[in-house]
Structure formats: structure tokens, C-alpha cells
Amino acid sequence: MRALPATAGRGAVACAAAPVPRRSLLLSTAAAGAALNAEQLPLRLTGGAAAKIRAPADAAQAVTFTSTDDALAWTNKDNRRLLHVVYRVGDLDKTIKFYTECLGMKVLRKRDIPEEKYTNAFLGYGPEDSHFAIELAYNYGVDKYDIGAGFGHFGIGVNDVAKTVELVRAKGGKVTREPGPVKGGKTVIAFVEDPDGYKFEILERPGTPEPLCQVMLRVGDLDRAISFYEKACGMELLRKRDNPEYKYTVAMMGYGPEEKNAVLELTYNYGVSEYAKGNAYAQIAIGTDDVYKTAEVVKLFGGQVVREPGPLPGISTKITAILDPDGWKSVPGSRLVLMCSSQIICQSERAKAVSSPIAQVFVDNIDFAKELE
């Protein structure tokens, strides 16, 4: 895989989620799978060593892999990186203030779509063409969401954890774990919460080129999840650590060295096989050179494509949305995760966010670059 430039107590209690109103869902990445009805989800496909798979007949390009080895070889040459993570907030201005004043982020772009009654903002620590970013979505009139039990936290690397924590406290933020060495290790960490209750792990990483460094999600079968992200998403298992004393295991997955790139942290709590997803966290957007081939690779290795590859209505940006074995969503596309005002997909009345699967979105790299121009 060619990458583009660029905790203990991890259990949670399932809780019911409040439905999201019928209005446009987040942005490009978020919108990618939002309008899909449950009945429209494609069948799960699997393939053996000699499997041959093709894109749908109406796809812009015919895709054929003669074997799983052929598919893996293409995936390993594809240019991929984590673009941004998407989630909903109840007070956009309050959240932006917290991220900029307490966590040192910058507002990269902001867009209001009054006709669809939502606003979104992108924040991070550097240009979107080379850094992982956050995409916040605010739906008019909705001030609270259920984060659920499956989402864990975001990770931010800083020069001095203690100073960051004191700043958060001085600004009225909530500190849930005081600075100190991680259990079973030496890295100094702390935990804080943003105004919506999203947890942030603050890690001491002086001089890190990618401060927004982790997204932690809980999974019910770690080996299954690792295999899926390696084969279907082309990620590398960077490291794996078992903590029998605290009854959990973590695996770091990504497209480049952990010290230089944002990574996906998968956490397995002993004996827990399922989590409520809630309706707050949405998905991660991933860049790819070809959304059509990406979708076929995902199907070949047992994944579910919840939005077939192709351009979003009204624009040329190409995306595809998938579900991992735990229902987490990814949006792969030729960098189609950013959305302009014309890229709006309204949520179907039947598409509900209550404990619904969450996908990853792949976005076309070239299209994504055009969105940033």
C-alpha cells in the first residue's frame, strides 16, 4: 500500500439512540450512505482464490479481478490515506471554540446549507491535502445525539499533556483522566471530553507531524476486523497489544508509520461481541485512486457495499460506501469525501440512524483534490 503524504476501561454500556430528523446528513462522506434504504443494501459477496468479480452493469467502468491475489496486488499499489472523520454535534460554534482554544485546531473550511438546514465545518492541524481532519456536522434544531458504546475516542498528540489538560480545565472543559503514564506503559496520556461528550485521548508526542493521530472504535472480533481492514481496505497492522490484566486487546491499523500518520485503533474487550452504534459518530473517509475497484475488492473479501461506486448526484466526485464486519462505515472514493453545496443527499425517511450500521467512505483522490481547489 502506497500511503499518500500526509486504553483501559474501554467497555461501554449500550444505550438507545434518538432518531435523526429527516434532513441532509453531514457532508460528502456522510451523505454517501445516508439515503440508502435497508432494502437497497446489496447482498454480501464472497469469493475464493479463483473468484472473478465485476462492477454492476451500469457502472462507468467494468472491473475484473481474476483472483484474490490479483485484487490484493492492486490494493497494495493503490494510493490511500485517511482523509477525515465525520460526526454530528449539537452546537457547532461551541464545539469549534473548544477545538480551537483548547486543542489548538484551526478551522479549515465552513459551509452553511440553509435550504437543507445543516452546517458543516472542517477542522484540523494542517492542509486537508496532507493532513487528517475532522468534519463536524450540525443539523438545524438538533442539540443532542447518542454517541453510543461502539465509538471510543479520538487521539491527539501534543508536546506537553499536562499543559494541554490545564488549558482545557481553565476553559471549563471536562477532564476525565488526569495526566500520567498509560497503564502497562510509559507514554503520558490524559482524557478530556468536548461539549458533546466525545472523548479525546491526549498523548505526549513532541513534534509529531500529525497531531490528530487516532480514531478508536470497538469491535466484537478483533482477528476478523484486522483481516478485513488488511485485505478489503489495504491497511497495515502496525502493532497489536494484549492487556490481559485489564481484559482488552488493541490493534493499530493504517497506511503508514504510526508516528507520522493518523491510524485506526481497533479495541476488543474480552467477551464483548456487539456494541450499540448510536447516531452521533458517522464514518471515516479514505482516499483511493479507483472507487470502482475498491468496491469490488471489498465485496471479494466479504464486506458490504452500501453505496455502489459512482459520482454523487449533481457533481462529478466519485465515492463508494462500505460496512466493515462490525457495521462501521468507510467511504472510499477518488477523494470524494468533501462536498460542495450542490453535493447534497437528503436522508430517506426510511434511513434511520438509531443503532444503524456505520460505514467507511472511499473518495476518489483526483475528485477530492478538485474539491479543495
Side-chain angles (χ1 to χ4, degrees):
M1 174 64 53
R2 289 186 295 154
L4 290 176
T7 41
R10 298 182 181 235
V13 179
C15 47
V20 173
R22 184 177 180 270
R23 57 191 69 199
S24 100
L25 225 81
L26 308 191
L27 247 263
S28 52
T29 31
L36 298 172
N37 296 337
E39 300 170 345
Q40 295 174 326
L41 298 182
L43 296 176
R44 180 171 179 170
L45 304 179
T46 58
K52 177 179 287 189
I53 53 181
R54 290 182 180 274
D58 60 349
Q61 303 177 20
V63 179
T64 301
F65 289 114
T66 58
S67 68
T68 54
D69 288 343
D70 184 26
L72 285 173
W74 176 81
T75 301
N76 288 332
K77 292 187 294 185
D78 191 23
N79 290 300
R80 295 186 181 181
R81 74 175 178 90
L82 302 183
L83 302 178
H84 54 252
V85 60
V86 189
Y87 53 99
R88 305 172 182 91
V89 298
D91 187 327
L92 188 60
D93 291 337
K94 187 175 182 179
T95 301
I96 289 175
K97 182 180 177 66
F98 179 84
Y99 288 4
T100 55
E101 294 185 1
C102 296
L103 302 179
M105 296 186 195
K106 295 180 180 179
V107 176
L108 305 173
R109 356 184 230 120
K110 186 178 180 181
R111 177 170 50 252
D112 184 43
I113 312 295
E115 62 271 23
E116 291 296 329
K117 298 182 179 180
Y118 79 92
T119 304
N120 79 296
F122 291 81
L123 295 94
Y125 295 97
E128 289 179 66
D129 61 0
S130 58
H131 288 74
F132 190 49
I134 284 173
E135 178 183 350
L136 301 175
Y138 168 70
N139 288 297
Y140 290 11
V142 183
D143 60 7
K144 189 174 181 60
Y145 295 96
D146 172 29
I147 294 177
F151 170 78
H153 62 258
F154 303 112
I156 295 181
V158 301
N159 291 332
D160 190 317
V161 171
K163 286 185 178 180
T164 300
V165 167
E166 286 311 307
L167 178 60
V168 170
R169 184 177 282 115
K171 295 287 185 178
K174 185 177 180 180
V175 178
T176 59
R177 193 232 197 239
E178 294 294 333
V182 63
K183 293 180 179 178
K186 297 180 180 180
T187 303
V188 176
I189 67 167
F191 274 89
V192 302
E193 284 187 11
D194 77 0
D196 288 273
Y198 290 101
K199 291 181 173 62
F200 283 80
E201 181 179 15
I202 310 301
L203 304 99
E204 198 145 291
R205 289 187 177 180
T208 178
E210 184 62 275
L212 184 57
C213 57
Q214 297 175 0
V215 177
M216 192 274 260
L217 302 175
R218 299 182 178 94
V219 298
D221 184 326
L222 187 59
D223 290 336
R224 179 185 65 180
I226 290 172
S227 178
F228 178 83
Y229 278 102
E230 284 182 324
K231 295 176 180 178
C233 295
M235 291 187 186
E236 178 185 354
L237 175 60
L238 303 171
R239 63 186 175 94
K240 184 178 179 182
R241 185 180 73 252
D242 185 38
N243 295 274
E245 181 181 357
Y246 301 104
K247 297 182 179 181
Y248 76 90
T249 306
V250 298
M252 298 297 188
M253 311 288 298
Y255 295 113
E258 191 178 345
E259 63 273 13
K260 296 181 179 180
N261 300 272
V263 300
L264 179 62
E265 178 182 352
L266 302 176
T267 296
Y268 168 69
N269 289 298
Y270 291 10
V272 183
S273 61
E274 189 172 347
Y275 296 94
K277 299 296 189 300
N279 61 1
Y281 174 87
Q283 67 228 359
I284 293 174
I286 302 169
T288 177
D289 288 337
D290 192 317
V291 294
Y292 299 95
K293 289 183 178 179
T294 292
E296 295 310 311
V297 171
V298 168
K299 292 176 183 178
L300 184 61
F301 290 105
Q304 199 174 29
V305 175
V306 295
R307 190 211 189 268
E308 289 294 336
L312 287 174
I315 62 168
S316 60
T317 305
K318 295 178 289 297
I319 69 166
T320 186
I322 71 168
L323 294 180
D324 78 359
D326 288 272
W328 293 115
K329 184 174 172 184
S330 294
V331 181
S334 305
R335 287 201 179 186
L336 171 288
V337 171
L338 308 194
M339 202 119 137
C340 65
S341 58
S342 63
Q343 300 175 252
I344 300 169
I345 298 181
C346 294
Q347 182 183 13
S348 163
E349 290 184 31
R350 302 180 53 130
K352 298 182 179 180
V354 181
S355 299
S356 61
I358 300 178
Q360 315 292 4
V361 178
F362 282 87
V363 177
D364 182 86
N365 285 326
I366 294 176
D367 294 342
F368 180 75
K370 291 178 180 178
E371 291 284 345
L372 296 179
E373 291 178 353

